[in-house]
Amino acid sequence: MDRKKILLIGWDGADWEHIHPLLDQGLLPTLESLINRGTIGNLATLQPVLSPMLWNSVATGKFPDKHGIHGFVEPDPASGGARPFSSLSRSSKALWNIFSQSGLRSNVVNWWASHPAEPIHGAIVSNLFNGVQFHPEKGWQISPGVCHPEEKSSQWAPLKFFPSEVTAEHIFPFIPAADQIDQENDKRPGTFAKTFSEMMTTHSVATALMETEPWDFMAIYYTGIDHFSHAFMPYYPPRMPHISEKDFEIYQHVVTGAYRFHDMMLERLLQLAGPDTTVILCSDHGFQSGPGRPLGVPREPAGPAIWHRQYGILVAAGPGIKKDERIHGASLIDIGPTILHLAGLPIGQDMDGRPLIEILSHPEPIQTIPTWETVSGQSGLHPPGSSMPEGQKPEELLEQFIALGYIDKLDDDKEKQARSADIESKYNLARCLLWQQREDEAIPLLEDILHQTPWETRFIIHLADAYQRAGYLTQSENLLTNSFDLDNTPVIQASLLQAKIRLQQQRFQDALTLLKKIASRTPRFPEIPLQIGSLFLKLHQPEHAEESFRSALAINPELAQAHEGLSTACLRQRKIQECADSALAAVGLLHRLPTAHLNLGIALARSGQDQRAQLAFQTAANFAPQNPNPQRWLAFLARRNGDAKQAQQHQAAATQLRNKKTLLHARIHQRQHLTRSLPDIPNESERHHLIKKEHPRPSDIQPSGKTFLIVSGLPRSGTSLMMQLLAAAGKTPVTDNQRTPDQDNPEGYYELEDIKKIAQKPEILDSVPPEDSVLKVISMLLPQLPPQHQYKVIFMMRDLSEVAASQNKMLHHRGEEQKTSQPSELIRGLKTPRDNIIQKCQSAENHQLLLIDYGQLVSSPHSSLQKIADFASLPPSKIPDMLSTIKPSLHRNRS
C-alpha cells in the first residue's frame, strides 16, 4: 500500500444532531464537501465519557485500563498535590510513537495529556500551550516540555491568541445581539472570549506547523465545540422553560456559530493538507441538544458529562476511501487501528479496537503483531522514571478544568488534593472496567474509595451494581438498604438495582411490581422499560418483552441495548426479518454487543445466508469468548456445509465453554449469600450535606456582606496617585509603609506587602474595615481575592508606551535592564495581561469595575473625579480635596 499523508482532526463534542440541520441549510459547505467524497457514521463512545480518557483511547486503540489516563488529574509525586494527567502517565504507545519508530514523521497539536511533549520524529505542541504568557521584562514565557523541539518554543509562542484580543468582529458572528448585553452584570461574554481564544490558538499553531514542518501524520484536537456547548447549549433552540426570552434571543446562535467557525477552520486545514491526504474527522462523544437537555448538573467532579451523548461523529475521506457511503458500528477505539492500517502498518493484537476496513474501496489484508509495546526503535517515549520538567505551570489547565466543572476547586491541603485525585482516578477506572463487564476487577477499587468517602452516593451505586453483576446479591442488597430508604428514595438507580437483584433471585413478580412502581414515578426513563423487557424474556413472554423494548426505543431511539433486546424478543417469536433488522440496528449503534451479533447470525442462518451468518457468529465469539453459543452455531453451519472437521472443532470448543460456563455459574451462585464488611454509611440527608461540603459550587458561597474599595492596575499605571486622591477624600489607605517614597514615586506607594499572599491567606481582609478604607491590589492579584466579598475596583489605564518607559526607568534605577528588545512585543506583553485581568473582573459576579484613564485624570481631571466620587460613594464636597492632590509635574515619561 502506498503511504499517503493522514490528517486526524478531533472536534470534541461534535454531534450529528447539530450538524445535519446545518448541512441542510448549507451552513457547513466544507464539511458537506468532505462528506460527499467520503464515508460517514456514528462513532460510539466509551464509559466514562470523559475527554482525557477518550482521546487517549483514540490515540492508542486501547481502553483506559491499558493506556493509563484515568481522568483529568492525578496525584503529583513531586509536589504532593494534584496535577493534570500527562504523557508520563500514558502506559501505551500512541500513534505518533509508533510512526516515529516506523520512520514516519508526526505533528501533534493540543492532544489531551500530550504534556510534556515527547521527543518524537516530528513536532508536538502540547495541551499546556495555552499557558504561554508574555512578561514585559522577560519576554515570552513558555514552560519546559510544552513544545518539541524545545528550541522552536520561542518561534511558536507568539501564535498564542489571548482572550483580550477578541474583538467585536469576532463576537458578532456568534452573538449578533451582543450590543444588547449588560456588560456590567452579564459575565458570559468573558466565557465566550476565553473559549474562542483557546480555539484560535490551536488553529494558529496547527496551520503554522502544517505550513512549516514536514509530516506524514498530523493530529489536531479542538476543544471549541465542547466548551461552547457546555457554556451555551442551554440557550440553543428550542428555548428551554427556565431560559428567559432575552437570554435566548442573545445567546441562541453561539453553538451554531461554533460549528460554522469550525467549518471555516476545516477549509484551511484541507487546503494545507492537499487532495492526496486521507482525512479522518471525529468526535469523542455527542452533546445533548433537544428538549431533554439536563436542567441541572450532578454535584460531583465531571458532573457536566451528563450533557454528553454516547455517539460522536466520524467522517473519512481521501484516496482509497469509499465515497458517499455510511458506516455502522464504529467506535472511537477503532480510530487508532484504522490509521495504522491506512499507513500500511500492522495492528497490535493487544489493541481493543479494529481497523474499519469497510470504509475502504479496496481493502488490503490486515497485518497484525502481538504488540507494539515491545517493538524497539526511537519511538520518542519518555524513559521510564521520567519526571515533569522543572518550571512547568499547569495552573491554567487546572483552572480550565475547574471552570468547566470537571474537577472541584483544589483545596490548599496538598495531601487532600492528592487523595481526591487518586479517588477520582480509581472511580473512573472502575467505571471503565464495569463497562467492559470486568466486575471482579472493579469491586476492589470501588470498595477502597467507598471506605475513604462513605458519603458519596455515586460510589455506593456503582459498588452495589458491581456486586449485583458479580453475583454478590445479598451484599448488593445490604449496601442498598444500608444507604437508601428504598420505598421513598429519589435516586432512581438504587430502585432499579433493587429490581435487578429481585430478577436475579428469580423473584420475577416482585421485580415486575417494583419496576412498574418506578415507571409510574419516572415514565420518561428508558432504562425502566428496558429492564422490564429483560424481565419478560426471563418469564418467556417475548411478546410483552417486545412491547417493553419498543417503549424504551420510543423514549430513546439510539438505545442500542433496547434494539438488542428487541432482536431477542423477535427471534423467540420467529420474526426472523424483524430480528435481523433490530440486531443490525443495535450493532450499527454499538458494535460491541455479542448477543446482537449472535441473534443476527441466527436470523441469517435461518434465512439460508450462511456466509454472512458465519461472520456474525465469529464476531459474537470475539466479543464474548466465554459464550458457547456462537461456537455451537458455527458447528451447525459447518455440518450443514459438509465440513465435518470444522464442525467437530467448533463443537468441541462449544462443549468446553459450556462446561466452563457451568462451573462459572456454580461459583457465582455460591457468591449469592456471601457478605463483606461495609463502612458506616451516613443516611441520605447526611450524605447530601457532606456532598455539598465536599463538592462546593460558586452558588454555595455565603456572601459576607462586605464591600471593599480596591485600586488596581499595572505597575506604573497611576495606582499610587489614585490612592493619594482617595486618601485626600477621607478614605483610609491600608498600608504597612514598608515601601517608602523614592525617586520613582516621591509621594509614596501606599502598599500592603501581605496582600501578595491573599490566595494563601484570605483572612488578611478580615482585619480591614470595608466602610472607610481603600486597598491597593496589583492587577495580577485581583482574581485571587476571596469570593465571599464584593469588590469595587478602580482600575488605572495608562498609555502602554508610558507604562513601558516608566517600568524601564524604574528597572534602571534598580540597576536592572529591560530584557525585551522589541517595542511591539513589549506593548503586547503589557496589554494582554492587563486586558485579560479586566475581562476576568468584568466576568466575576462579585466585582464592579471603573476604568480611569491616567492621562485624562492628570490633564483634565474634573470628569474623572466626578466618576470616582460617584463610584466610591464620596460626597461632592470631597472633589476639591482630590483635585488639589494632582500634580501634573509628576506625569513623567509621557508618550
Side-chain angles (χ1 to χ4, degrees):
M1 179 183 288
D2 293 334
R3 284 177 174 166
K4 303 286 187 182
K5 283 185 174 183
I6 301 171
L7 173 61
L8 173 62
I9 306 169
W11 284 1
D12 197 312
D15 195 312
W16 289 120
E17 277 198 353
H18 314 316
I19 290 172
H20 283 312
L22 299 178
L23 290 171
D24 293 341
Q25 297 171 56
L27 297 179
L28 304 178
T30 309
L31 181 58
E32 184 173 22
S33 174
L34 189 69
I35 289 170
N36 290 339
R37 62 184 181 91
T39 297
I40 71 168
N42 280 338
L43 200 62
T45 191
L46 313 176
Q47 294 294 331
V49 191
L50 300 178
S51 292
M53 303 173 76
L54 302 178
W55 287 107
N56 278 280
S57 287
V58 170
T60 62
K62 296 181 179 180
F63 292 134
D65 59 287
K66 290 182 181 176
H67 66 57
I69 306 299
H70 301 152
F72 291 91
V73 292
E74 64 179 345
D76 187 344
S79 73
R83 69 183 184 190
F85 266 98
S86 72
S87 60
L88 298 175
S89 316
R90 202 183 68 240
S91 51
S92 295
K93 289 177 180 175
L95 289 168
W96 44 89
N97 302 122
I98 295 172
F99 284 145
S100 282
Q101 64 187 94
S102 302
L104 300 175
R105 189 178 181 91
S106 302
N107 290 341
V108 183
V109 178
N110 196 40
W111 208 263
W112 268 112
S114 57
H115 181 84
E118 296 166 285
I120 62 168
H121 184 43
I124 293 182
V125 177
S126 85
N127 58 314
L128 288 194
F129 185 81
N130 265 302
V132 169
Q133 296 295 337
F134 187 89
H135 193 283
E137 297 174 20
K138 302 176 182 178
W140 287 103
Q141 300 295 291
I142 183 164
S143 300
V146 168
C147 298
H148 166 75
E150 193 88 40
E151 60 269 18
K152 296 197 175 182
S153 296
S154 58
Q155 174 185 332
W156 295 333
L159 298 170
K160 167 75 180 282
F161 192 95
F162 292 93
S164 58
E165 296 175 297
V166 176
T167 67
E169 185 179 17
H170 301 119
I171 295 172
F172 275 109
F174 293 80
I175 313 175
D179 55 348
Q180 300 176 26
I181 295 173
D182 176 5
Q183 295 281 354
E184 289 293 321
N185 299 304
D186 191 341
K187 311 304 178 182
R188 286 163 290 195
T191 301
F192 170 88
K194 189 173 189 307
T195 299
F196 185 87
S197 67
E198 291 165 357
M199 179 177 65
M200 284 298 296
T201 297
T202 297
H203 190 63
S204 298
V205 172
T207 52
L209 263 61
M210 293 180 81
E211 291 175 318
T212 61
E213 301 293 324
W215 55 279
D216 300 293
F217 170 66
M218 183 109 188
I220 312 164
Y221 167 63
Y222 291 90
T223 62
I225 290 174
D226 182 75
H227 290 185
F228 277 126
S229 296
H230 276 295
F232 296 100
M233 189 60 78
Y235 313 101
Y236 188 76
R239 183 170 71 88
M240 299 178 74
H242 68 287
I243 299 298
S244 71
E245 290 187 12
K246 181 178 180 181
D247 283 349
F248 176 72
E249 183 64 29
I250 293 174
Y251 294 112
Q252 63 174 307
H253 303 293
V254 174
V255 174
T256 296
Y259 277 96
R260 296 186 67 182
F261 198 82
H262 277 70
D263 192 75
M264 297 176 195
M265 293 190 291
L266 177 63
E267 181 181 19
R268 181 57 179 153
L269 296 180
L270 297 183
Q271 288 173 352
L272 292 171
D276 293 331
T277 297
T278 300
V279 179
I280 294 181
L281 169 66
C282 64
S283 64
D284 56 336
H285 57 77
F287 212 93
Q288 302 284 357
S289 63
R293 281 169 283 180
L295 297 177
V297 173
R299 191 182 286 271
E300 61 184 72
I306 194 174
W307 280 87
H308 297 165
R309 283 189 349 113
Q310 60 182 332
Y311 300 108
I313 70 166
L314 171 63
V315 184
I321 304 293
K322 291 179 181 177
K323 294 184 179 180
D324 199 20
E325 289 282 348
R326 180 175 291 273
I327 185 176
H328 299 280
S331 168
L332 62 84
I333 205 75
D334 303 326
I335 299 298
T338 301
I339 289 174
L340 289 178
H341 185 69
L342 288 169
L345 296 173
I347 288 91
Q349 293 170 2
D350 58 339
M351 290 182 173
D352 298 301
R354 65 185 179 95
L356 300 171
I357 58 172
E358 57 266 48
I359 70 174
L360 303 176
S361 51
H362 301 288
E364 296 192 6
I366 298 171
Q367 307 172 57
T368 64
I369 58 174
T371 180
W372 276 100
E373 305 307 330
T374 56
V375 175
S376 60
Q378 295 297 318
S379 68
L381 280 175
H382 295 298
S386 297
S387 57
M388 198 65 71
E390 291 186 13
Q392 62 131 358
K393 295 181 178 179
E395 290 83 2
E396 181 157 328
L397 188 58
L398 289 171
E399 285 180 11
Q400 182 187 87
F401 294 164
I402 294 167
L404 290 169
Y406 284 125
I407 65 171
D408 289 334
K409 186 173 177 62
L410 296 180
D411 195 280
D412 291 335
D413 183 340
K414 294 284 189 180
E415 185 177 338
K416 187 174 180 181
Q417 283 184 26
R419 185 170 62 253
S420 176
D422 181 61
I423 286 172
E424 293 303 320
S425 298
K426 287 178 177 175
Y427 174 57
N428 293 333
L429 175 57
R431 291 175 65 193
C432 172
L433 294 170
L434 282 173
W435 187 76
Q436 298 176 59
Q437 300 180 342
R438 294 161 63 183
E439 297 85 13
D440 286 336
E441 296 172 69
I443 285 172
L445 294 168
L446 291 165
E447 287 178 331
D448 176 23
I449 61 179
L450 184 61
H451 276 83
Q452 293 186 63
T453 53
W455 58 83
E456 288 278 15
T457 297
R458 59 196 170 117
F459 299 164
I460 295 170
I461 290 293
H462 280 88
L463 180 54
D465 181 40
Y467 283 146
Q468 177 266 323
R469 294 193 202 183
Y472 296 104
L473 302 186
T474 300
Q475 177 72 5
S476 181
E477 195 162 24
N478 286 346
L479 180 54
L480 290 174
T481 54
N482 284 356
S483 308
F484 301 97
D485 175 2
L486 290 170
D487 291 328
N488 301 297
T489 181
V491 182
I492 190 70
Q493 294 89 344
S495 300
L496 282 173
L497 268 174
Q498 186 186 22
K500 284 184 180 179
I501 293 169
R502 296 286 182 270
L503 182 61
Q504 233 172 317
Q505 292 169 334
Q506 299 189 2
R507 296 166 59 182
F508 298 133
Q509 193 56 50
D510 288 351
L512 184 57
T513 301
L514 183 55
L515 286 169
K516 287 182 176 179
K517 179 182 176 183
I518 302 168
S520 67
R521 288 160 42 202
T522 51
R524 298 295 298 170
F525 196 69
E527 293 294 328
I528 301 170
L530 177 65
Q531 199 162 316
I532 291 175
S534 300
L535 173 57
F536 280 128
L537 288 177
K538 292 278 188 182
L539 291 171
H540 305 289
Q541 298 179 27
E543 66 284 353
H544 293 311
E546 178 183 352
E547 183 182 347
S548 295
F549 290 129
R550 292 193 187 280
S551 296
L553 290 169
I555 302 170
N556 181 3
E558 292 188 332
L559 188 58
Q561 292 81 0
H563 285 289
E564 181 181 53
L566 182 58
S567 72
T568 302
C570 291
L571 181 64
R572 292 188 184 180
Q573 298 175 78
R574 297 194 173 274
K575 297 179 178 180
I576 302 304
Q577 187 58 52
E578 290 181 61
C579 168
D581 291 343
S582 298
L584 282 169
V587 300
L589 290 166
L590 191 61
H591 195 62
R592 299 179 67 88
L593 291 174
T595 300
H597 286 288
L598 178 64
N599 291 344
L600 176 61
I602 295 171
L604 292 169
R606 289 179 175 173
S607 303
Q609 302 180 58
D610 286 9
Q611 190 172 0
R612 291 180 63 198
Q614 184 179 16
L615 178 60
F617 291 137
Q618 287 171 340
T619 305
N622 290 338
F623 287 148
Q626 305 304 319
N627 188 346
N629 289 329
Q631 296 294 339
R632 185 169 64 84
W633 275 96
L634 285 167
F636 168 78
L637 289 180
R639 281 195 300 271
R640 187 157 79 177
N641 290 283
D643 192 339
K645 183 179 178 181
Q646 192 72 26
Q648 187 177 11
Q649 290 176 350
H650 285 302
Q651 189 60 56
T655 301
Q656 185 180 21
L657 289 173
R658 188 164 56 248
N659 292 336
K660 285 184 178 179
K661 190 174 182 180
T662 301
L663 292 173
L664 179 62
H665 282 171
R667 190 160 61 247
I668 290 176
H669 184 72
Q670 290 172 354
R671 293 175 169 182
Q672 184 169 346
H673 300 296
L674 294 179
T675 58
R676 302 166 179 238
S677 64
L678 290 172
D680 292 329
I681 297 174
N683 63 40
E684 288 185 79
S685 176
E686 292 172 341
R687 291 205 306 273
H688 180 69
H689 175 75
L690 288 165
I691 288 169
K692 285 187 68 174
K693 179 182 177 183
E694 290 298 318
H695 305 301
R697 292 179 173 175
S699 57
D700 296 332
I701 296 171
Q702 295 298 317
S704 67
K706 297 179 180 179
T707 300
F708 292 92
L709 182 62
I710 304 291
V711 170
S712 191
L714 291 174
R716 313 305 298 161
S717 63
T719 53
S720 299
L721 171 62
M722 181 55 62
M723 292 293 288
Q724 296 166 33
L725 294 178
L726 293 169
K731 293 289 183 180
T732 304
V734 180
T735 175
D736 52 19
N737 296 312
Q738 287 191 31
R739 196 172 182 186
T740 56
D742 56 25
Q743 58 183 323
D744 295 302
N745 230 348
E747 300 295 322
Y749 286 89
Y750 295 87
E751 292 179 356
L752 179 68
E753 185 68 20
D754 272 358
I755 204 66
K756 298 175 183 177
K757 305 172 186 175
I758 190 65
Q760 295 77 33
K761 296 182 177 181
E763 64 275 9
I764 290 171
L765 292 186
D766 292 347
S767 59
V768 176
E771 294 80 13
D772 59 357
S773 61
V774 59
L775 184 66
K776 183 177 175 180
V777 179
I778 204 69
S779 58
M780 291 79 80
L781 294 175
L782 287 176
Q784 300 177 15
L785 291 170
Q788 66 268 30
H789 308 308
Q790 294 288 319
Y791 302 97
K792 301 184 79 169
V793 181
I794 300 175
F795 198 99
M796 299 303 295
M797 305 289 288
R798 185 178 183 183
D799 185 285
L800 291 176
S801 61
E802 295 183 8
V803 173
S806 183
Q807 289 184 0
N808 224 358
K809 183 176 288 187
M810 178 179 278
L811 289 170
H812 178 72
H813 291 157
R814 294 179 181 179
E816 302 175 22
E817 294 300 327
Q818 174 61 256
K819 295 181 176 61
T820 304
S821 56
Q822 293 293 330
S824 61
E825 279 197 351
L826 178 58
I827 297 300
R828 187 186 181 199
L830 290 167
K831 183 179 187 303
T832 295
R834 183 195 69 183
D835 292 355
N836 284 344
I837 292 296
I838 290 173
Q839 195 169 66
K840 285 183 179 180
C841 288
Q842 290 172 334
S843 301
E845 298 287 347
N846 60 337
H847 283 59
Q848 297 179 56
L849 198 64
L850 175 66
L851 303 180
I852 293 295
D853 184 278
Y854 175 76
Q856 187 178 12
L857 174 64
V858 173
S859 61
S860 52
H862 289 88
S863 62
S864 296
L865 292 177
Q866 185 62 58
K867 290 178 184 177
I868 295 166
D870 293 342
F871 185 76
S873 301
L874 298 171
S877 60
K878 296 294 184 180
I879 292 178
D881 296 327
M882 290 192 286
L883 183 62
S884 64
T885 306
I886 296 174
K887 298 179 180 178
S889 62
L890 294 180
H891 184 185
R892 298 167 290 190
N893 306 300
R894 299 190 187 196
S895 60

